[in-house]
Amino acid sequence: ENWVIIGVVCGAAVLTVGILIGHFGIAKSGTSAPSWLKDVAKDVDESLIEKFMSEVDNIQIQENLRSLTKVPHMATTAGDEETVQIMLKRWQDPETGLDKAWREEYWVYLSFPDKNNPNTVTVVSPTNTVLHTIREKEKPYTPDQSDPEVVQPYAAYSPAGHVKGKLVYANQGKPSDYSELNKTVDLRGTIAITKYGGAGRSAKAINAAPYGVVGVLVYTDPLDMNDGLMSDANETYPHSWYMPPSGVERGSYNIDFGDLLTPHLAAKEETYRINATDITGIPPIPTQPIGFEDAYRLICELGGEPAPDAWQGGFNCTYNFGGPGFKPTSSFTNSDVKLDIYNYEEVKPSSNVMGFIRGSVEPDRYVIYGNHRDSWVHGAIDPSSGTSVMLEITRVLGKMVKQGTWRPRRSIIFGSWGAEEFGLIGSAEYTEQYFAALSERSVAYINVDIAVFGKKLHTAPVHQKMGYLTGAGSDYAPFSHYLGITSMDMSYTYDKTKTNARIYPAYHTAYDTFDYASKYIDPGFVGHQAVARTAGNVLIRLADSLILPLNCADYAESLEEYLSTALNLYEQKLKSMNISMEPLKHAVTSFRAAVSNLEKVIQSPDLANETPLKVRWINDQLMLLDRAFLDPLAFPDKYGFRHVIWASSSAGKQTFPGLADAYANAESSGQASDWDKVHYHLSVLSQAILGAASTLTDDMQTQTWRK
């Protein structure tokens, strides 16, 4: 069985049909109704949705993917420009194109390996004899991996540098991992090898530096991705979907999203830029990802004490801490691991490709649909599965527009974002450039990045799994967290109870190709077709429904669940600190009451006799609700996160993020000032929720809580 995962901010996936309003006024005797009246009163057309669904073609999607993955298309490369031209050609097609399509260019700060000086990782003896060299590029199984434009695996934004030291194993590179390791091993001057998972990419190096670690290696453990399988003779790709031994997950090693030199400003050529030395959230020490075939050789040779059971992985050896360094019996004994990193940074032009269908009734209300276009290599699944789906949706809708058989009530904006892999740059710069218009006019944002990443999906039944968009894993983040636009992210994926794979195993490797996608992810492309139908269905309903299909009762339920968890976790301790949670309880109760009152208005038969302005007002209340939860001062240490309900959290609790993080920090430190921050976040939450409730009422009045 497989899952459809839809992350929802304001219940955007609840596909209510809306309310049909027969008329908005009574014509004077002897006169006909004005010509615009029919359009204003029109609701979503179910037959049009059926027509859309029937015309979505899996073979068209397959051919889209074939075109998009012919060459590697990392951001700002020649291959990236080829995909820009594909998007423009399709969206400017006279028969199936959109009303308008154009490129929007930004000058962005990127990090690359040096083709002339490839990064190297070696094991060197005390006399500087090279005993082992880490594979520079992934092993080719098809011509795709041999393309000269396949970028060497590297850690984007890792600094250049030449470091060597005794090797230690630091599990996932979390703060707790380095703390545990430091109890028995002197980490000063060491190189740490870590596995993906548990901590963000850059955090593995940021967490290491205070202990004196001078370099970091990162690998994918076969237990975490391959269900323990390691042999390319018959177990991994090209024989299955599993990562082959030389596969390396590339990635951007930075914490903040958007262009790193132009925080809060769109990265235009003339924009003010901070000094590169002032960038935070990137590795302070040289860092390099490697394949598990090389990690196996290094880890199984380590000396020192055995690591805890929770740190063990898929290799058929005991994972030791490191002496530091290798076992006395190893051929590597007394040897260092040396990193020679030649990465460089450059400001380069990167393009978003934008498409637009003008709305017929409310052209100043925008439904936005987007996905990034750039990849690390060929990027068949990430991101081209999503781009292939978007191109098919626009083909079907564009044809209707060109033929004059349909035009949406509200305008639709399509975004093919550039440089996402380097930190959601294209979408973030777009939200910074058009901050005011998007904040005032955006109904919702739909993101379909990795559209499909399961295994032969059509052989199993489908289930829906809903979650919250609390992180910054794709281009929904600037819209949801920064602008407070109701957002959703949709994928068709695999049953994660039947595999340890945290994502599809070819993720960010040179094996994410059309061959891989068509053989092991979605043969026949019917999974892609299902995503296109579902995402297009949501898009049409958001664009055409008379009353927006945003169910805010779901929002109230989410707040109540978060409150219940917070009370169970925190109330008793906070009472002892003389910090009351009663204002938060009252705020959530007030929000539920406001939602219930709005629902009564929407469901009332009297709405049929209301004016267009009344309907517009209700829609604005629904559209702007998420904006009421924005607080630009709530998370000073989290760039771009302003939404007090859906911000990211490191506490690992399913409750209000700022409160959870503040409580965990105060409990750890015991400092009175940290408990004050808990109180502060309770006040932020209470007032934000009351403020949001007030936007759903006529008079902005909510009952004030008193002791």
Side-chain angles (χ1 to χ4, degrees):
E1 65 186 7
N2 302 281
W3 302 94
V4 176
I5 296 182
I6 308 176
V8 181
V9 172
C10 185
V14 180
L15 304 178
T16 53
V17 173
I19 297 174
L20 177 64
I21 297 181
H23 62 276
F24 290 100
I26 301 173
K28 295 180 180 179
S29 177
T31 64
S32 60
S35 59
W36 49 263
L37 193 57
K38 182 178 178 182
D39 286 340
V40 168
K42 189 177 180 182
D43 202 357
V44 65
D45 184 346
E46 295 294 331
S47 64
L48 181 131
I49 291 178
E50 290 179 10
K51 176 178 170 60
F52 166 81
M53 303 271 271
S54 69
E55 292 190 8
V56 171
D57 188 336
N58 59 308
I59 303 303
Q60 290 275 358
I61 298 173
Q62 172 185 288
E63 295 311 306
N64 290 344
L65 189 68
R66 197 189 305 273
S67 296
L68 290 163
T69 58
K70 283 182 179 177
V71 296
H73 48 283
M74 187 169 61
T76 73
T77 64
D80 185 27
E81 178 60 24
E82 285 188 30
T83 62
V84 167
Q85 295 305 321
I86 289 172
M87 303 303 296
L88 287 171
K89 182 178 179 181
R90 293 289 294 274
W91 287 355
Q92 293 173 346
D93 187 279
E95 296 183 355
T96 59
L98 310 177
D99 288 338
K100 290 197 300 183
W102 65 99
R103 68 193 301 159
E104 186 84 59
E105 197 167 71
Y106 301 97
W107 288 75
V108 302
Y109 181 75
L110 304 182
S111 166
F112 302 101
D114 188 338
K115 285 185 177 181
N116 299 319
N117 290 294
N119 296 341
T120 62
V121 179
T122 52
V123 178
V124 294
S125 73
T127 59
N128 279 327
T129 301
V130 174
L131 304 179
H132 180 72
T133 301
I134 302 300
R135 184 189 288 271
E136 180 186 320
K137 287 201 170 186
E138 291 144 304
K139 180 179 176 179
Y141 299 103
T142 73
D144 289 322
Q145 288 87 51
S146 299
D147 190 305
E149 292 304 311
V150 171
V151 68
Q152 176 197 9
Y154 75 113
Y157 300 110
S158 163
H162 308 277
V163 294
K164 70 177 181 177
K166 297 292 186 288
L167 189 67
V168 294
Y169 170 58
N171 193 30
Q172 296 176 321
K174 303 187 296 291
S176 59
D177 294 333
Y178 288 111
S179 176
E180 178 70 20
L181 183 59
N182 194 52
K183 292 176 182 177
T184 55
V185 180
D186 183 352
L187 296 178
R188 290 174 297 178
T190 62
I191 304 292
I193 185 168
T194 64
K195 56 188 178 185
Y196 273 118
R201 296 185 187 101
S202 63
K204 297 176 190 298
I206 293 170
N207 297 336
Y211 291 93
V213 175
V214 296
V216 172
L217 299 175
V218 187
Y219 79 101
T220 300
D221 196 277
L223 185 64
D224 302 331
M225 187 69 91
N226 277 15
D227 297 316
L229 301 178
M230 293 177 56
S231 172
D232 63 354
N234 56 5
E235 294 177 334
T236 69
Y237 185 79
H239 309 286
S240 76
W241 82 322
Y242 290 117
M243 176 189 284
S246 66
V248 183
E249 178 183 321
R250 296 153 182 79
S252 184
Y253 283 59
N254 58 320
I255 292 176
D256 297 336
F257 58 82
D259 178 63
L260 296 178
L261 291 183
T262 59
H264 303 294
L265 295 170
K268 292 297 185 178
E269 192 170 7
E270 72 286 353
T271 301
Y272 166 77
R273 286 169 168 78
I274 65 172
N275 291 324
T277 53
D278 293 330
I279 294 173
T280 59
I282 59 176
I285 52 180
T287 305
Q288 177 71 17
I290 64 174
F292 69 73
E293 66 174 2
D294 284 310
Y296 172 70
R297 183 76 193 277
L298 297 177
I299 287 174
C300 290
E301 298 287 342
L302 279 175
E305 297 180 12
D309 289 345
W311 290 28
Q312 301 299 313
F315 300 147
N316 60 352
C317 67
T318 299
Y319 290 45
N320 295 327
F321 284 141
F326 300 107
K327 302 172 186 175
T329 55
S330 167
S331 60
F332 295 163
T333 188
N334 292 324
S335 296
D336 289 331
V337 170
K338 187 170 187 285
L339 277 64
D340 291 292
I341 307 301
Y342 297 92
N343 294 350
Y344 67 96
E345 296 75 42
E346 184 177 3
V347 174
K348 297 186 70 177
S350 173
S351 293
N352 294 339
V353 180
M354 308 304 301
F356 186 73
I357 300 176
R358 183 173 299 280
S360 59
V361 177
E362 300 179 78
D364 63 332
R365 292 293 179 260
Y366 306 147
V367 181
I368 308 167
Y369 184 113
N371 176 38
H372 72 101
R373 187 187 63 259
D374 66 300
S375 62
W376 283 113
V377 193
H378 292 84
I381 301 303
D382 180 13
S384 301
S385 62
T387 306
S388 299
V389 162
M390 180 163 62
L391 281 173
E392 178 60 3
I393 290 172
T394 58
R395 182 190 71 84
V396 177
L397 296 183
K399 183 179 178 182
M400 293 178 180
V401 169
K402 294 297 186 182
Q403 291 178 345
T405 59
W406 173 77
R407 181 164 290 280
R409 178 186 187 89
R410 303 175 185 92
S411 295
I412 301 175
I413 297 173
F414 292 97
S416 175
W417 313 119
E420 185 269 359
E421 295 293 5
F422 288 85
L424 318 182
I425 293 178
S427 55
E429 300 315 298
Y430 179 77
T431 59
E432 288 171 342
Q433 181 174 2
Y434 298 105
F435 179 92
L438 292 172
S439 297
E440 293 171 4
R441 303 174 184 176
S442 299
V443 169
Y445 175 71
I446 302 169
N447 195 71
V448 182
D449 182 344
I450 301 175
V452 179
F453 56 110
K455 292 189 292 183
K456 300 184 178 178
L457 299 170
H458 60 288
T459 62
V462 177
H463 300 268
Q464 288 186 0
K465 184 176 181 181
M466 312 294 283
Y468 299 133
L469 294 180
T470 55
S474 190
D475 291 297
Y476 56 78
F479 293 92
S480 174
H481 299 309
Y482 188 59
L483 294 185
I485 294 169
T486 299
S487 300
M488 67 185 298
D489 185 58
M490 182 183 300
S491 292
Y492 194 159
T493 184
Y494 52 92
D495 183 351
K496 296 189 177 181
T497 66
K498 296 182 178 179
T499 175
N500 286 335
R502 58 184 170 82
I503 196 168
Y504 71 101
Y507 174 70
H508 287 190
T509 73
Y511 307 109
D512 187 358
T513 61
F514 182 84
D515 177 74
Y516 180 87
S518 59
K519 285 182 180 176
Y520 301 117
I521 299 297
D522 190 20
F525 288 81
V526 293
H528 287 75
Q529 183 182 43
V531 171
R533 286 171 169 168
T534 305
N537 188 338
V538 175
L539 175 62
I540 293 169
R541 292 181 188 278
L542 286 167
D544 275 358
S545 292
L546 190 61
I547 299 295
L548 288 172
L550 301 176
N551 187 346
C552 288
D554 286 354
Y555 218 133
E557 183 178 332
S558 297
L559 295 181
E560 289 159 356
E561 289 175 358
Y562 269 22
L563 175 64
S564 176
T565 301
L567 293 174
N568 290 333
L569 291 173
Y570 311 136
E571 187 173 33
Q572 186 174 353
K573 174 69 174 179
L574 292 180
K575 276 184 178 178
S576 72
M577 306 293 294
N578 200 30
I579 300 173
S580 174
M581 295 187 73
E582 292 301 318
L584 182 58
K585 295 179 190 177
H586 167 72
V588 173
T589 301
S590 297
F591 186 85
R592 168 61 79 176
V595 167
S596 298
N597 288 335
L598 181 61
E599 283 189 312
K600 289 177 184 177
V601 173
I602 292 173
Q603 295 166 4
S604 169
D606 295 336
L607 188 61
N609 297 315
E610 290 288 357
T611 67
L613 289 178
K614 176 70 172 181
V615 173
R616 171 88 162 189
W617 179 39
I618 291 170
N619 282 335
D620 282 354
Q621 289 177 298
L622 295 170
M623 178 183 82
L624 296 173
L625 177 62
D626 260 304
R627 310 306 194 267
F629 291 102
L630 297 181
D631 185 335
L633 303 179
F635 308 107
D637 297 329
K638 295 180 180 178
Y639 177 81
F641 286 89
R642 308 193 305 158
H643 200 299
V644 302
I645 309 300
W646 308 125
S648 65
S649 168
S650 58
K653 307 296 183 184
Q654 284 281 56
T655 188
F656 305 106
L659 175 62
D661 285 351
Y663 186 94
N665 189 48
E667 194 172 42
S668 174
S669 75
Q671 297 293 320
S673 59
D674 287 332
W675 287 110
D676 287 343
K677 290 178 183 176
V678 176
H679 194 176
Y680 167 74
H681 275 283
L682 276 169
S683 296
V684 166
L685 279 170
S686 302
Q687 295 190 18
I689 295 169
L690 280 175
S694 72
T695 69
L696 303 180
T697 64
D698 289 356
D699 53 13
M700 293 198 305
Q701 184 175 5
T702 56
Q703 186 176 358
T704 302
W705 178 81
R706 293 183 175 86
K707 290 184 179 178

mmCIF file of all heavy atoms in Angstrom, residues 22 47 59 67 79 144 164 199 223 315 326 503 513 576 614 687:
data_model
loop_
_atom_site.group_PDB
_atom_site.id
_atom_site.type_symbol
_atom_site.label_atom_id
_atom_site.label_comp_id
_atom_site.label_asym_id
_atom_site.label_seq_id
_atom_site.Cartn_x
_atom_site.Cartn_y
_atom_site.Cartn_z
ATOM 1 N N GLY A 22 -27.379 31.911 -6.595
ATOM 2 C CA GLY A 22 -28.163 32.067 -7.814
ATOM 3 C C GLY A 22 -28.120 33.459 -8.385
ATOM 4 O O GLY A 22 -28.053 33.645 -9.589
ATOM 5 N N SER A 47 -18.242 19.528 -14.149
ATOM 6 C CA SER A 47 -18.017 18.861 -15.434
ATOM 7 C C SER A 47 -16.680 19.278 -16.036
ATOM 8 O O SER A 47 -16.018 18.491 -16.718
ATOM 9 C CB SER A 47 -19.158 19.181 -16.413
ATOM 10 O OG SER A 47 -19.192 20.570 -16.730
ATOM 11 N N ILE A 59 1.314 9.487 -20.751
ATOM 12 C CA ILE A 59 2.395 9.426 -21.751
ATOM 13 C C ILE A 59 2.984 10.813 -21.986
ATOM 14 O O ILE A 59 4.202 10.965 -22.169
ATOM 15 C CB ILE A 59 1.894 8.804 -23.073
ATOM 16 C CG1 ILE A 59 1.327 7.404 -22.812
ATOM 17 C CG2 ILE A 59 3.024 8.741 -24.095
ATOM 18 C CD1 ILE A 59 2.320 6.444 -22.156
ATOM 19 N N SER A 67 12.345 14.699 -21.765
ATOM 20 C CA SER A 67 12.949 15.948 -22.261
ATOM 21 C C SER A 67 13.725 16.679 -21.168
ATOM 22 O O SER A 67 14.828 17.193 -21.402
ATOM 23 C CB SER A 67 11.857 16.874 -22.811
ATOM 24 O OG SER A 67 11.224 16.298 -23.923
ATOM 25 N N GLY A 79 22.836 23.349 -18.892
ATOM 26 C CA GLY A 79 21.687 22.451 -18.825
ATOM 27 C C GLY A 79 20.483 23.107 -18.186
ATOM 28 O O GLY A 79 19.336 22.877 -18.607
ATOM 29 N N ASP A 144 24.326 8.014 -18.641
ATOM 30 C CA ASP A 144 23.993 9.214 -17.866
ATOM 31 C C ASP A 144 25.091 9.569 -16.873
ATOM 32 O O ASP A 144 25.456 10.738 -16.717
ATOM 33 C CB ASP A 144 22.676 9.009 -17.107
ATOM 34 C CG ASP A 144 21.471 8.993 -18.018
ATOM 35 O OD1 ASP A 144 21.463 9.772 -18.988
ATOM 36 O OD2 ASP A 144 20.546 8.197 -17.771
ATOM 37 N N LYS A 164 43.888 17.657 7.933
ATOM 38 C CA LYS A 164 44.046 16.224 8.165
ATOM 39 C C LYS A 164 44.068 15.968 9.658
ATOM 40 O O LYS A 164 44.400 16.851 10.467
ATOM 41 C CB LYS A 164 45.292 15.680 7.483
ATOM 42 C CG LYS A 164 46.617 16.125 8.077
ATOM 43 C CD LYS A 164 47.773 15.429 7.337
ATOM 44 C CE LYS A 164 49.119 15.843 7.927
ATOM 45 N NZ LYS A 164 50.236 15.134 7.277
ATOM 46 N N ALA A 199 20.450 15.255 12.107
ATOM 47 C CA ALA A 199 20.800 16.678 12.102
ATOM 48 C C ALA A 199 20.903 17.131 10.657
ATOM 49 O O ALA A 199 21.197 16.327 9.762
ATOM 50 C CB ALA A 199 22.121 16.923 12.827
ATOM 51 N N LEU A 223 21.890 0.883 6.083
ATOM 52 C CA LEU A 223 20.766 0.497 6.933
ATOM 53 C C LEU A 223 19.656 1.549 6.881
ATOM 54 O O LEU A 223 18.469 1.221 6.951
ATOM 55 C CB LEU A 223 21.235 0.309 8.381
ATOM 56 C CG LEU A 223 20.175 -0.217 9.359
ATOM 57 C CD1 LEU A 223 19.731 -1.623 8.964
ATOM 58 C CD2 LEU A 223 20.723 -0.216 10.788
ATOM 59 N N PHE A 315 26.886 -1.860 8.195
ATOM 60 C CA PHE A 315 28.130 -2.552 7.844
ATOM 61 C C PHE A 315 28.318 -3.781 8.731
ATOM 62 O O PHE A 315 27.910 -3.778 9.905
ATOM 63 C CB PHE A 315 29.327 -1.616 7.990
ATOM 64 C CG PHE A 315 29.272 -0.385 7.124
ATOM 65 C CD1 PHE A 315 29.828 0.814 7.562
ATOM 66 C CD2 PHE A 315 28.665 -0.418 5.877
ATOM 67 C CE1 PHE A 315 29.783 1.956 6.767
ATOM 68 C CE2 PHE A 315 28.617 0.718 5.080
ATOM 69 C CZ PHE A 315 29.170 1.905 5.529
ATOM 70 N N PHE A 326 42.706 4.754 13.619
ATOM 71 C CA PHE A 326 42.435 3.379 13.227
ATOM 72 C C PHE A 326 43.015 2.370 14.220
ATOM 73 O O PHE A 326 43.856 2.703 15.063
ATOM 74 C CB PHE A 326 42.998 3.134 11.825
ATOM 75 C CG PHE A 326 42.404 4.047 10.781
ATOM 76 C CD1 PHE A 326 43.136 5.099 10.241
ATOM 77 C CD2 PHE A 326 41.095 3.857 10.344
ATOM 78 C CE1 PHE A 326 42.588 5.942 9.288
ATOM 79 C CE2 PHE A 326 40.540 4.688 9.394
ATOM 80 C CZ PHE A 326 41.279 5.741 8.857
ATOM 81 N N ILE A 503 14.032 8.344 2.126
ATOM 82 C CA ILE A 503 13.558 8.973 0.898
ATOM 83 C C ILE A 503 13.947 7.993 -0.213
ATOM 84 O O ILE A 503 14.562 6.963 0.065
ATOM 85 C CB ILE A 503 14.193 10.371 0.711
ATOM 86 C CG1 ILE A 503 13.435 11.187 -0.336
ATOM 87 C CG2 ILE A 503 15.691 10.268 0.399
ATOM 88 C CD1 ILE A 503 13.837 12.663 -0.361
ATOM 89 N N THR A 513 17.777 9.271 -12.659
ATOM 90 C CA THR A 513 17.692 9.458 -14.106
ATOM 91 C C THR A 513 16.351 8.971 -14.637
ATOM 92 O O THR A 513 15.569 8.342 -13.910
ATOM 93 C CB THR A 513 18.810 8.663 -14.804
ATOM 94 O OG1 THR A 513 18.622 7.267 -14.501
ATOM 95 C CG2 THR A 513 20.186 9.109 -14.335
ATOM 96 N N SER A 576 4.256 25.712 38.668
ATOM 97 C CA SER A 576 5.235 25.837 39.749
ATOM 98 C C SER A 576 6.161 27.025 39.539
ATOM 99 O O SER A 576 6.774 27.509 40.499
ATOM 100 C CB SER A 576 6.060 24.549 39.869
ATOM 101 O OG SER A 576 6.963 24.417 38.783
ATOM 102 N N LYS A 614 -20.095 40.934 0.016
ATOM 103 C CA LYS A 614 -20.160 40.076 1.187
ATOM 104 C C LYS A 614 -19.389 38.775 0.931
ATOM 105 O O LYS A 614 -18.635 38.302 1.792
ATOM 106 C CB LYS A 614 -21.619 39.761 1.525
ATOM 107 C CG LYS A 614 -21.805 38.778 2.678
ATOM 108 C CD LYS A 614 -21.416 39.358 4.013
ATOM 109 C CE LYS A 614 -21.795 38.433 5.157
ATOM 110 N NZ LYS A 614 -21.455 38.976 6.478
ATOM 111 N N GLN A 687 -1.786 35.924 21.957
ATOM 112 C CA GLN A 687 -2.215 37.121 21.246
ATOM 113 C C GLN A 687 -2.362 36.873 19.747
ATOM 114 O O GLN A 687 -3.257 37.433 19.109
ATOM 115 C CB GLN A 687 -1.256 38.263 21.539
ATOM 116 C CG GLN A 687 -1.297 38.667 23.014
ATOM 117 C CD GLN A 687 -0.543 39.937 23.327
ATOM 118 O OE1 GLN A 687 -0.245 40.738 22.441
ATOM 119 N NE2 GLN A 687 -0.242 40.132 24.598
#
